[in-house]
Amino acid sequence: MQMSTLAEIVTRHEKFARPAAVKVDIEGAETLALRGAPSEWFSESGPLWIVEINPAALKRGHASASEVVSFFRNDSFDCWLLPHFGFSDNARNLRPRPLPSDETFNDAWFYNLIAVPRGAGFAQRRSRISPLLNAR
């Protein structure tokens, strides 16, 4: 089976060079996809990202949740976690939360990381998304 990195796809198909959003959910291989993405996609003017973080699947792929998060620097992205299938009795009460620097990823089976670029081009999108993620 032939595989291509996101950066290789962009060089062959110019129309994919500036996506508005990227969703990555590949059962523990997320870091491989992130490593193969064009570096400009990780800037404040890059796309919005939604990346699944499944600690168990990442471990099977010899990666970690902190490695996934490391692609989204605080100076370029506002990052949020949406936990799914919590471990505790309050599992149904898990809410989206800002991604703290010391996140342990230990209250749910998996998460969606939402990384919203901080660039001026995303100001309107940030203002629409923020109230949804801050709802408690």
Side-chain angles (χ1 to χ4, degrees):
M1 172 187 338
Q2 181 183 358
M3 293 192 299
S4 299
T5 66
L6 292 168
E8 291 168 344
I9 292 169
V10 165
T11 62
R12 290 194 306 264
H13 305 281
E14 184 64 30
K15 64 182 177 183
F16 298 124
R18 297 197 44 85
V22 178
K23 169 73 165 121
V24 181
D25 181 353
I26 47 180
E27 307 310 318
E30 287 78 8
T31 56
L32 293 174
L34 295 170
R35 282 187 212 132
S39 60
E40 60 270 13
W41 288 9
F42 298 103
S43 71
E44 65 181 21
S45 60
L48 178 141
W49 289 83
I50 302 172
V51 182
E52 183 177 89
I53 296 178
N54 180 326
L58 286 165
K59 186 175 181 179
R60 286 191 300 274
H62 307 288
S64 68
S66 60
E67 187 177 358
V68 171
V69 169
S70 72
F71 285 88
F72 304 98
R73 295 186 339 261
N74 288 336
D75 63 338
S76 297
F77 293 93
D78 288 330
C79 293
W80 300 85
L81 283 182
L82 283 71
H84 298 280
F85 304 108
F87 296 139
S88 72
D89 291 338
N90 293 326
R92 294 184 183 269
N93 296 327
L94 292 176
R95 301 276 188 239
R97 61 182 183 249
L99 177 67
S101 60
D102 61 348
E103 177 63 46
T104 59
F105 299 96
N106 66 359
D107 62 342
W109 285 103
F110 69 95
Y111 307 80
N112 282 124
L113 170 69
I114 298 178
V116 183
R118 290 187 174 200
F122 274 84
Q124 190 175 36
R125 187 176 287 186
R126 272 194 316 277
S127 68
R128 287 193 319 256
I129 292 172
S130 186
L132 300 172
L133 296 173
N134 281 320
R136 295 210 180 234

